[in-house]
């Protein structure tokens, strides 16, 4: 199993710290305070196509929430639709937009009263599952999330929600 | 979309740098020099169950390989079977075992000549797809990976390989 193996008495450049050191973000987005365990779902919402570097922290210690996830994306700012999807996954996430190494904007999105085209209705006979109809849900509560389909009135808890 | 929003003139604790700062790894494993784009597949090989923090870097600049991924896992050392699976995904990955903030062992795994129970044979009539038979492949070449089924002789390129 072991090919090349080295002792580690002298590693001036290779401490655990330096192995994980990353440069500061010049331009991009930091999504902080994600509910622990949701970062990979958020990455999939973002389509997993990234030109620049992406750093993901899972299960990190957080003063606010015990454990949290964090994502830092180089050279990318998010669309309002992407922010809304992420807010559905993790309602207390904070977004920081970085330009030239500075936080130029920081915000916590508020969920809109109605979300359109973002959530799949699990009711197979609901009209919103027809390809020509955009799903539409009323947000009943943000955290824990609860939504209700505007077509068939089915109400969904957070764990029942499947994003489109 | 924007709930709370703050200007960022004074952020002594909140520079982009500090937003992503993570503590050094006391105990755990660093998997470095992963082929860019493979880190999330590696996480899924590891079962996505983590007690401690996990840091993932995607698409990072690398002097050796242009772009690379890196994974740092707190409080976990990998089994030989996990290391072998990761070597199949990313043959030049390096593994560093950290204890008490020090690299106590660093290695690049060599693929064995034969891998057992790790790769699914895509030939539907191959006997290795029977539940009571463990798949067995000869490693013809490590990078780019090429393997051949010991039962039906089908030869697979890297992109055709599906891990079990």
């Amino acid at each position: 199993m072991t090919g090349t193996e080295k002792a580690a008495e002298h590693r001036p450049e290779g401490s655990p710290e330096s192995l994980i050191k990353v440069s500061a973000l010049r331009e991009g987005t930091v999504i902080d305070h994600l509910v622990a365990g949701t970062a990979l779902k958020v990455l999939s919402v973002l389509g997993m196509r990234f030109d620049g570097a992406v750093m993901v922290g899972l299960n990190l210690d957080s003063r606010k929430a015990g454990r949290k996830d964090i994502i830092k994306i180089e050279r990318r700012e998010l669309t309002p639709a992407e922010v809304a999807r992420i807010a559905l996954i993790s309602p207390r996430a904070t977004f920081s937009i970085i330009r030239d190494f500075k936080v130029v904007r920081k915000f916590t999105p508020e969920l809109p009263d109605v979300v359109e085209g973002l959530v799949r209705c699990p009711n197979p006979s609901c009209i919103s599952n027809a390809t020509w109809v955009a799903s539409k849900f009323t947000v009943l509560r943000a955290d824990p999330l609860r939504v209700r389909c505007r077509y068939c009135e089915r109400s969904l808890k957070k764990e029942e929600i499947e994003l489109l």
Side-chain angles (χ1 to χ4, degrees), chain A:
Chain A
M1 188 57 57
T2 303
T4 62
E5 189 157 345
K6 303 187 237 173
E9 294 87 355
H10 294 294
R11 303 185 48 81
E13 86 310 339
S15 71
E17 187 86 75
S18 73
L19 280 170
I20 56 147
K21 204 168 154 191
V22 289
S23 55
L25 194 56
R26 175 190 283 276
E27 319 281 343
T29 302
V30 177
I31 314 171
D32 199 357
H33 303 296
L34 289 165
V35 173
T38 61
L40 300 181
K41 199 166 178 188
V42 169
L43 285 184
S44 78
V45 159
L46 298 177
M48 307 294 288
R49 292 178 306 280
F50 303 104
D51 297 333
V54 177
M55 287 294 304
V56 186
L58 306 168
N59 242 346
L60 305 182
D61 280 321
S62 159
R63 272 166 301 176
K64 280 189 195 170
R67 291 279 175 173
K68 67 171 183 180
D69 289 357
I70 184 170
I71 299 176
K72 187 180 82 97
I73 309 165
E74 199 181 46
R75 292 200 297 277
R76 177 146 167 195
E77 296 187 10
L78 307 185
T79 65
E82 287 170 332
V83 171
R85 279 189 170 79
I86 294 167
L88 284 170
I89 296 169
S90 211
R92 294 178 188 188
T94 58
F95 294 73
S96 299
I97 312 297
I98 315 292
R99 288 187 200 139
D100 200 19
F101 298 109
K102 290 191 186 68
V103 179
V104 295
R105 190 168 157 233
K106 184 171 179 170
F107 62 96
T108 303
E110 253 169 29
L111 274 180
D113 298 333
V114 177
V115 289
E116 277 197 65
L118 295 183
V119 174
R120 184 187 307 280
C121 185
N123 175 359
S125 46
C126 177
I127 184 66
S128 73
N129 286 309
T131 49
W132 63 90
V133 181
S135 87
K136 200 186 264 189
F137 282 82
T138 305
V139 175
L140 302 173
R141 199 173 55 199
D143 190 15
L145 185 61
R146 199 172 177 99
V147 298
R148 186 171 54 217
C149 179
R150 301 275 284 228
Y151 295 100
C152 75
E153 300 289 319
R154 185 174 289 197
S155 157
L156 306 180
K157 289 184 217 163
K158 184 167 184 52
E159 54 275 17
E160 296 169 313
I161 291 172
E162 187 194 340
L163 294 183
L164 285 168

